[in-house]
Amino acid sequence: MDPLSSAFSALADPTRRAILARLAEGEATVNEIAEPFDISLPAVSRHLKVLESAGLITRGRDAQWRPCKLEPKALKGVDDWLSFYRRFWDQRFDKMDAYLTRLQKKEKRK
Amino acid sequence: MDPLSSAFSALADPTRRAILARLAEGEATVNEIAEPFDISLPAVSRHLKVLESAGLITRGRDAQWRPCKLEPKALKGVDDWLSFYRRFWDQRFDKMDAYLTRLQKKEKRK
DNA sequence: TCATTAATTAACAAGAATGTTAAATAATGG
DNA sequence: CCATTATTTAACATTCTTGTTAATTAATGA
């Protein structure tokens, strides 16, 4: 699957978004991550796997623990995709658009 | 499903993202939207339904045509969710963060 | 070595997503 | 009214997702 699709797919699950929110506060082990949820540990483990294959987290090793870490690059990818559409709701980008169009026309006239 | 989840879920499909890209250029009917894809019309119709329930598009009626229109609000919702994580890749936001923390401490000292 | 703790994998079930073709509905216009 | 065009719904098959419990692997340390 392409990186963008797997990122969006991973973010579509509220549990996984909650996990990312937790990791925004700092690294955490699987058990720490699982603690607030009402699902089994294997289920959490699989959510982490999904997040990892989407590039949204990485996992290290510290004795028997597997500390998870937020990996912002994938989120940046989502943001980059989104940036194309920003002009549709953000007036500042609309103005930027108009400015660039004017500039382009000026360029053409030369 | 919560709005954010259905938006992410809708965006996870490349065909649907391509449809949004097409609609960024302007309204289009179902047949116009379907034209570049190698899937059946009913399949496209269902992609549109998914985009519509996610709030990413709206559909009107013009005789037997159903013009589809990009609806940026849902994308703005995604952007808002993302904004919390922006500090992790965007230094400008990191500095903004530090600035706000300093400001808060200053406030506390009063 | 063996008990303990941490985490993953296996095997399975249930439900959702996506595609297909065929049939149905909507709107138009001769 | 009926043919035509645009689109959706129905019925079905296939694959993906997500959860469960039970078993397995990994690392530590008495």
Side-chain angles (χ1 to χ4, degrees):
Chain A
M1 203 171 13
D2 67 291
L4 211 42
S5 293
S6 54
F8 277 128
S9 196
L11 296 173
D13 187 288
T15 301
R16 286 193 289 262
R17 291 201 303 279
I19 290 173
L20 291 186
R22 166 66 187 80
L23 294 180
E25 294 169 18
E27 298 195 10
T29 68
V30 178
N31 270 292
E32 286 167 347
I33 290 166
E35 199 273 317
F37 300 107
D38 263 357
I39 57 176
S40 66
L41 210 57
V44 172
S45 184
R46 261 159 103 176
H47 279 305
L48 293 172
K49 202 175 184 177
V50 172
L51 288 168
E52 190 182 29
S53 6
L56 287 159
I57 67 166
T58 49
R59 282 186 282 186
R61 170 67 86 177
D62 174 14
Q64 67 264 63
W65 294 275
R66 307 289 317 268
C68 297
K69 197 169 151 291
L70 186 67
E71 214 52 64
K73 265 173 217 158
L75 285 173
K76 167 94 166 67
V78 170
D79 197 52
D80 288 344
W81 179 86
L82 214 50
S83 70
F84 170 78
Y85 294 93
R86 203 153 276 137
R87 59 193 161 108
F88 289 106
W89 70 81
D90 197 326
Q91 252 203 336
R92 288 173 301 169
F93 279 81
D94 218 33
K95 281 176 182 167
M96 173 71 89
D97 240 40
Y99 170 72
L100 289 172
T101 306
R102 251 179 296 131
L103 216 66
Q104 247 178 348
K105 281 183 181 164
K106 204 175 259 179
E107 236 2 80
K108 250 188 203 161
R109 277 201 297 280
K110 283 186 182 175
Chain B
M1 202 168 18
D2 67 292
L4 211 43
S5 293
S6 54
F8 278 128
S9 194
L11 295 173
D13 188 288
T15 301
R16 286 195 289 262
R17 290 200 303 278
I19 290 173
L20 292 186
R22 166 66 188 80
L23 294 180
E25 293 169 19
E27 300 196 10
T29 68
V30 179
N31 269 293
E32 287 169 346
I33 290 166
E35 198 272 317
F37 300 107
D38 263 356
I39 57 176
S40 66
L41 212 55
V44 173
S45 184
R46 261 158 106 178
H47 279 305
L48 292 173
K49 202 175 184 177
V50 171
L51 289 168
E52 190 182 28
S53 7
L56 287 160
I57 66 166
T58 49
R59 282 187 281 187
R61 170 67 87 175
D62 174 13
Q64 66 265 63
W65 294 275
R66 307 290 316 269
C68 297
K69 196 170 151 288
L70 186 67
E71 213 53 63
K73 264 173 219 159
L75 285 173
K76 167 93 167 67
V78 170
D79 196 53
D80 288 344
W81 179 86
L82 213 51
S83 70
F84 170 78
Y85 294 94
R86 203 153 276 137
R87 60 192 160 109
F88 290 105
W89 70 80
D90 196 327
Q91 252 203 336
R92 287 174 302 168
F93 279 81
D94 219 32
K95 280 175 183 167
M96 174 70 88
D97 240 41
Y99 169 72
L100 290 172
T101 307
R102 251 181 296 131
L103 214 68
Q104 247 177 349
K105 281 183 183 164
K106 203 176 261 179
E107 231 8 75
K108 250 187 205 162
R109 277 200 297 280
K110 283 189 185 175

